[in-house]
Amino acid sequence: MHNEPICGIDLGTTNSCLALLRDGTPEPLCMEEGSAIVPSIVSRDDATGRIIVGREALNRFAAFPHHTVRSIKRLMGKETTVFLGEQGYSPEEISSFILKYLVTKGGEAIGREIRRVVITVPAYFNDAQRRATIKAGELAGLEVVRIINEPTAASLLYENVEDEDAGDEAASPYILVYDLGGGTFDVSILEIKGEIKEVLASCGDSALGGDDFDERLIAFFLRQIREQYGHDFSDDGDRALHTRLKAIAEQTKITLSDAPFARISEVAVTVVNGEPVNLDLELTRKEYEEMIADLVEQTVVKVNEALKEAHLECDDIGRIVLVGGSSRTPLVQERLEQLFERTVSFSIDPDLCVALGACVQHGLIVGEPLGHILIDVTAHSLGVKTSDSFDPESGDADFFSTIIRRNTAIPTRKAELYYSNVDNQKMVKVEVFQGESESCKENSCIGSFPYSLKPAPAGSPVITEFAYDKEGLIHITLEQKGFDNRKEVTLDIRSNRLIDPEEAAGEEKIVNYMVSKGRKLAARSDTPQKLRDELSALLDEYVAALGEGNEASIDSLEERLLELMDEIEEGAGDE
Ligand code: ADP
Ligand code: MG
């Protein structure tokens, strides 16, 4: 019997996470402000000698830089002393504070003491670094049941996931794990041989990660400040400013992972000549992607290196596992999709999957029965039809633009930006498709509806947000940027039905409007033939605006117009 908690820990460079097995399923443990992700930062309060870990330590970083340490993982296995104020510690000791904090919090949450853990390390960690990690565990009063490689933990987790359409992927024994964290990038290729997972290749860059993305944004903010306030803060060592800008940069970056642009509006980030310096700007995802493109490219180079080292081609790879917070960057997924020519997404939170995998490993070691991990993912990519490209044969705009990728864990919320085609465009027909082809014709249409635009020059941006919930409903929100023009529509993906009470009422109004317009036409038309033509043109106009998914209201309009025609013809006959 194993009464003891089954625990796995991802002791990361930037963030750490603890997971526990509950009823055969690994679960991340929420620690700070509802988040399971704990910053791997340690600080010491000189006055009391108290050791502070996690978010609180992060908050102290700006004020007490000499009492606070981050990225201690980089020093693991080295004979060195890190000073927090007056007090010196070994890297193992610092790491033990993080471990102690995690298990104490975890133990409090479940009301039981956590004593045994599985801890993960990067695949490239040497013996000294692994031993230092075990030592850190011991210093925290823990028994380290096993040290496992991070990519192995992540792949182990995915193996236990119930995933219907992993069919062809599962046929290949090769897994590629792409791990882009805060300060490090690792790519590993594993081969599954029954129970054993062998690391065939492990490449990376220990100085490349989300921190570099932040730095690009900080440099951009500083350029903006220089232009606006005529003062260059780039090398004046203003630590408080840098810390503040870093926090803004990280928030901006995270926003841009889900939204097409970010609005930055921060007051008094610093002062110049006694005046507060404000940051007030908007940044599109495209502009941000240009800033980080070369960094993402460096990771692609490493992926190719790893493939070469493993003597494999892209096509040989079965599953591609995305790990690390920075792998949420859409550009990362896009570049990998180009390279591997398939959709690449994560169905498990990339910041949590290493800890969850470590927990699964612990469960396997002690022989705890593991249930399949059930996660709800989108079975197909979801998006809209755009006129980005034209089908040369038919001349139709038939380009499928993905908003939510296939295999994304539900619930999820993603937004993209689209633009009006012509000046003062009155209406766009929003056509929602699901499928994996770039051409809408080969995907399936799950609904369409009109969206009226306010008068604006061509290129007026429309934010299109898809929120996919656990009930299989897609809540679509359209918003013409800069105007008070929002529309919300819900699609039921299981029945391909448009649910929109307001819309239904609106359509009834449109039908009435059309009928009254028909009546006016009738009053002016000299011949019944001309009237019939005009009414049918009216119907075509309406059908073009609404299209598929609205058959019911089109039918109802058609019926009413026919009635109207009969009515008028009868009237004419009476005369
Ligand atoms: P590590 O393994 O190095 O400890 P993590 O896997 O926790 O790091 O990744 C941390 C990095 O991920 C940070 O740079 C953080 O800003 C970044 N990150 C977290 N969430 C997102 C997101 N939604 N989009 C882009 N980057 C993110
Ligand atoms: Mg990590």
Side-chain angles (χ1 to χ4, degrees):
M1 282 300 286
H2 308 280
N3 279 323
E4 272 196 59
I6 311 286
C7 173
I9 294 178
D10 169 7
L11 187 58
T13 311
T14 315
N15 297 303
S16 297
C17 176
L18 178 145
L20 287 166
L21 205 64
R22 287 184 173 175
D23 303 324
T25 314
E27 281 177 19
L29 206 92
C30 286
M31 305 252 177
E32 297 178 329
E33 294 162 16
S35 169
I37 299 155
V38 174
S40 304
I41 303 180
V42 177
S43 187
R44 183 172 186 273
D45 182 349
D46 256 358
T48 61
R50 187 169 76 99
I51 293 293
I52 300 157
V53 179
R55 208 151 294 270
E56 198 187 336
L58 172 67
N59 294 339
R60 278 173 59 90
F61 199 79
F64 304 97
H66 304 296
H67 295 78
T68 310
V69 61
R70 59 201 303 168
S71 305
I72 191 65
K73 191 169 172 179
R74 292 185 187 281
L75 298 179
M76 289 296 269
K78 293 209 171 86
E79 289 289 329
T80 178
T81 304
V82 176
F83 282 91
L84 301 183
E86 301 283 281
Q87 192 66 45
Y89 299 99
S90 67
E92 293 92 320
E93 281 177 293
I94 302 276
S95 290
S96 81
F97 296 145
I98 300 171
L99 291 171
K100 184 85 199 159
Y101 177 78
L102 290 171
V103 296
T104 306
K105 279 260 184 178
E108 280 166 12
I110 57 169
R112 279 189 298 165
E113 196 190 350
I114 297 169
R115 290 197 305 133
R116 294 199 173 89
V117 295
V118 165
I119 304 176
T120 59
V121 294
Y124 62 78
F125 253 29
N126 62 26
D127 233 33
Q129 291 167 306
R130 285 166 200 264
R131 265 186 279 118
T133 306
I134 295 174
K135 179 84 185 295
E138 288 168 358
L139 289 172
L142 297 166
E143 183 190 324
V144 181
V145 178
R146 194 171 296 176
I147 291 284
I148 65 165
N149 291 328
E150 287 159 10
T152 310
S155 66
L156 192 60
L157 180 67
Y158 270 90
E159 251 176 77
N160 284 274
V161 165
E162 221 155 77
D163 189 345
E164 292 156 16
D165 30 33
D168 45 340
E169 293 184 353
S172 159
Y174 304 112
I175 301 176
L176 183 131
V177 182
Y178 177 105
D179 182 349
L180 188 57
T184 56
F185 169 64
D186 302 301
V187 50
S188 315
I189 296 172
L190 313 183
E191 182 180 7
I192 310 175
K193 293 177 172 165
E195 292 286 282
I196 301 157
K197 275 154 219 74
E198 193 187 337
V199 178
L200 295 182
S202 170
C203 296
D205 186 334
S206 58
L208 176 62
D211 288 340
D212 300 288
F213 295 8
D214 297 339
E215 286 305 322
R216 293 285 164 93
L217 281 169
I218 293 171
F220 166 72
F221 296 152
L222 289 172
R223 280 199 301 278
Q224 295 287 316
I225 292 173
R226 194 181 59 209
E227 274 167 31
Q228 205 180 333
Y229 294 88
H231 187 93
D232 192 352
F233 284 93
S234 41
D235 343 275
D236 76 349
D238 184 340
R239 201 181 261 270
L241 172 63
H242 190 272
T243 308
R244 177 91 184 269
L245 292 183
K246 166 113 184 149
I248 299 168
E250 192 169 11
Q251 191 48 56
T252 304
K253 179 177 79 172
I254 290 171
T255 302
L256 291 173
S257 285
D258 294 333
F261 69 92
R263 163 116 228 122
I264 298 127
S265 176
E266 300 277 339
V267 291
V269 292
T270 185
V271 283
V272 62
N273 304 327
E275 290 283 318
V277 170
N278 304 331
L279 261 186
D280 189 20
L281 54 107
E282 207 172 82
L283 186 70
T284 65
R285 185 190 288 160
K286 251 200 158 61
E287 292 167 324
Y288 168 62
E289 287 178 344
E290 279 162 21
M291 294 178 198
I292 60 161
D294 63 309
L295 298 172
V296 173
E297 222 39 54
Q298 287 173 37
T299 70
V300 174
V301 168
K302 294 289 173 191
V303 170
N304 281 317
E305 264 175 37
L307 285 166
K308 205 161 159 211
E309 200 178 292
H311 304 289
L312 294 172
E313 306 277 334
C314 289
D315 287 349
D316 298 326
I317 299 295
R319 207 187 273 279
I320 297 166
V321 175
L322 293 183
V323 179
S326 303
S327 70
R328 290 172 180 275
T329 310
L331 184 62
V332 162
Q333 295 171 44
E334 250 166 57
R335 285 297 289 120
L336 291 175
E337 287 186 351
Q338 281 166 5
L339 184 65
F340 288 93
E341 296 180 337
R342 65 179 100 160
T343 43
V344 173
S345 55
F346 42 83
S347 45
I348 300 169
D349 217 322
D351 337 74
L352 307 178
C353 66
V354 168
L356 295 171
C359 181
V360 167
Q361 176 68 270
H362 195 169
L364 292 173
I365 293 169
V366 299
E368 188 78 8
L370 285 176
H372 266 298
I373 303 155
L374 261 177
I375 41 166
D376 242 345
V377 295
T378 55
H380 304 283
S381 296
L382 287 164
V384 292
K385 183 160 159 177
T386 66
S387 49
D388 259 30
S389 76
F390 284 83
D391 180 330
E393 273 169 34
S394 64
D396 273 357
D398 182 44
F399 188 72
F400 176 63
S401 168
T402 306
I403 296 182
I404 296 178
R405 280 151 211 274
R406 166 174 178 262
N407 270 343
T408 300
I410 315 172
T412 183
R413 182 183 286 273
K414 297 275 171 207
E416 288 293 338
L417 211 51
Y418 300 101
Y419 302 89
S420 64
N421 289 320
V422 294
D423 286 347
N424 299 322
Q425 189 169 337
K426 288 208 174 64
M427 166 117 92
V428 281
K429 184 174 160 199
V430 180
E431 294 178 87
V432 182
F433 283 83
Q434 65 176 359
E436 310 314 317
S437 168
E438 278 196 357
S439 152
C440 286
K441 272 194 298 236
E442 286 160 34
N443 294 334
S444 57
C445 182
I446 52 174
S448 73
F449 56 91
Y451 173 58
S452 313
L453 295 174
K454 295 269 159 76
S460 173
V462 175
I463 309 157
T464 307
E465 187 190 79
F466 279 25
Y468 194 155
D469 70 15
K470 284 203 186 288
E471 277 69 53
L473 300 177
I474 313 169
H475 305 278
I476 302 170
T477 311
L478 294 156
E479 190 174 351
Q480 190 178 4
K481 217 164 151 262
F483 293 88
D484 180 19
N485 184 16
R486 258 172 87 91
K487 182 182 175 100
E488 286 175 35
V489 167
T490 299
L491 275 172
D492 187 338
I493 195 139
R494 291 175 192 156
S495 64
N496 286 2
R497 202 161 56 85
L498 197 65
I499 315 164
D500 184 359
E502 223 177 272
E503 176 66 17
E507 276 169 17
E508 183 57 30
K509 264 190 225 148
I510 296 174
V511 170
N512 287 336
Y513 167 75
M514 290 284 186
V515 169
S516 83
K517 201 167 160 188
R519 279 187 194 284
K520 278 189 195 134
L521 282 174
R524 281 195 281 109
S525 300
D526 16 300
T527 63
Q529 184 54 46
K530 193 160 171 218
L531 171 66
R532 204 167 286 135
D533 289 349
E534 272 177 308
L535 289 182
S536 92
L538 199 62
L539 185 64
D540 285 347
E541 190 188 312
Y542 182 73
V543 171
L546 285 182
E548 299 116 277
N550 293 283
E551 279 75 12
S553 53
I554 289 168
D555 287 350
S556 122
L557 178 65
E558 191 165 17
E559 204 176 298
R560 304 267 297 271
L561 288 179
L562 284 174
E563 273 170 25
L564 180 64
M565 252 188 251
D566 287 347
E567 212 177 278
I568 293 164
E569 279 177 4
E570 268 168 34
D574 285 349
E575 272 170 32

